[in-house]
């Protein structure tokens, strides 16, 4: 109920008024039945702008840190995500991937839309990074189509570290659904999962026009942070 209130009364109309999103390919979203919406992830604003323009409800697997932040801001953020029906996923530990898979499949089993960012984290520099295979595992196990999505302009309005977004127009672009029935029964084969994930990422790339990096975003972030630490130690 709170989700509908946010979408249609409290937040959705305000977001559509401020950012005037251009919507392309909305007809590619199935009117009913389960499907995965797989998109690039450039900004915290992505969590709100896509649900605001979709006719159907979409549930995202959100990182657990959104639900465990300290202080008043942390409690408000957690309350918002819970009320909006978003699912916390612990990304640490060896069982993190299986937990996310179970939660995602439960959403799809109810015939709903599931939102996934295959990169696993926000892009810190606006480039598109290698996708993790969880999106492929869910698509094959559930037997559902994957709709690629590209958010354009959200990195510019709210890059990582910026609290409040700039008021500028953004574009949300959906591609034709991808179906992978040819891989039925092969969801446990690593090479198949990698091929399906790469096909999804290529579709996102075609929609977004971003520069592609064939490495995981989290690894690149960690490497760059280590370089910054080394540089600071050298200056001392």
């Amino acid at each position: 109920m709170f989700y509908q209130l946010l979408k249609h009364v409290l937040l959705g109309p305000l977001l559509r008024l401020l950012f005037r999103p251009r919507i392309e390919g909305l007809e590619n979203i199935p009117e009913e039945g389960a499907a995965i919406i797989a998109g690039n992830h450039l900004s915290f604003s992505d969590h709100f702008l896509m649900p605001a323009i979709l006719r159907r409800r979409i549930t995202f697997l959100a990182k657990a840190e959104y639900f465990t932040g300290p202080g008043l801001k942390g409690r408000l953020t957690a309350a918002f995500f819970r009320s909006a029906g978003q699912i916390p996923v612990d990304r640490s530990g060896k069982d993190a991937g299986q937990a996310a898979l179970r939660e995602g499949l439960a959403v799809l089993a109810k015939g709903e839309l599931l939102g996934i960012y295959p990169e696993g984290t926000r892009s810190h520099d606006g480039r598109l990074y290698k996708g993790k295979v969880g999106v492929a595992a869910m698509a094959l196990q559930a037997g559902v189509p994957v709709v690629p999505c590209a958010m354009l302009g959200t990195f510019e309005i709210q890059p990582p570290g910026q609290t409040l977004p700039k008021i500028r127009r953004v574009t949300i672009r959906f591609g034709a659904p991808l179906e992978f029935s040819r891989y039925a029964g092969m969801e446990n084969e690593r090479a198949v999962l990698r091929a399906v994930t790469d096909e999804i990422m290529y579709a996102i790339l075609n929609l977004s026009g971003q520069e592609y990096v064939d490495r995981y975003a989290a690894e690149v972030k960690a490497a760059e942070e280590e370089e910054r630490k080394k540089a600071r130690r050298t200056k001392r």
Side-chain angles (χ1 to χ4, degrees), residues 18-118:
L18 293 177
F19 298 103
R20 299 173 295 121
R22 299 183 186 91
I23 314 303
E24 301 176 9
L26 192 60
E27 68 277 5
N28 289 314
I29 305 295
E31 294 185 3
E32 59 183 22
I36 295 172
I37 313 299
N40 59 343
H41 194 15
L42 296 169
S43 168
F44 186 72
S45 300
D46 297 340
H47 288 289
F48 311 107
L49 288 168
M50 189 199 298
I53 59 92
L54 290 179
R55 300 186 186 99
R56 296 180 60 187
R57 173 173 179 154
I58 183 170
T59 298
F60 279 92
L61 300 180
K63 63 181 182 180
E65 291 89 332
Y66 287 147
F67 298 81
T68 58
L72 178 60
K73 179 182 178 182
R75 290 194 295 273
L76 290 174
T77 300
F80 175 84
F81 275 90
R82 287 195 185 94
S83 299
Q86 307 308 287
I87 300 173
V89 175
D90 185 355
R91 300 182 299 174
S92 62
K94 64 179 181 180
D95 296 325
Q98 288 303 311
L101 185 64
R102 287 194 300 271
E103 296 287 1
L105 289 173
V107 172
L108 296 170
K110 293 186 288 186
E112 298 178 358
L113 295 179
L114 177 69
I116 297 177
Y117 300 119

Side-chain angles (χ1 to χ4, degrees), residues 14-22 45 49 151-159 162 164-172:
L14 179 62
L15 292 175
R16 292 192 292 270
L17 176 65
L18 293 177
F19 298 103
R20 299 173 295 121
R22 299 183 186 91
S45 300
L49 288 168
M151 309 291 291
L152 293 89
T154 56
F155 184 83
E156 288 73 20
I157 67 170
Q158 192 180 20
Q162 182 170 312
L164 295 176
K166 300 174 184 176
I167 306 303
R168 293 181 184 174
R169 197 169 194 186
V170 301
T171 297
I172 305 175

Side-chain angles (χ1 to χ4, degrees), residues 148-205:
C149 172
M151 309 291 291
L152 293 89
T154 56
F155 184 83
E156 288 73 20
I157 67 170
Q158 192 180 20
Q162 182 170 312
T163 303
L164 295 176
K166 300 174 184 176
I167 306 303
R168 293 181 184 174
R169 197 169 194 186
V170 301
T171 297
I172 305 175
R173 185 176 293 156
F174 299 98
L178 306 172
E179 68 89 31
F180 300 101
S181 59
R182 62 192 183 277
Y183 296 119
M186 303 172 70
E187 60 270 13
N188 293 320
E189 297 189 23
R190 184 73 184 182
V192 170
L193 294 179
R194 184 73 262 162
V196 169
T197 302
D198 288 346
E199 184 174 337
I200 293 168
M201 297 309 294
Y202 184 71
I204 295 171
L205 179 65

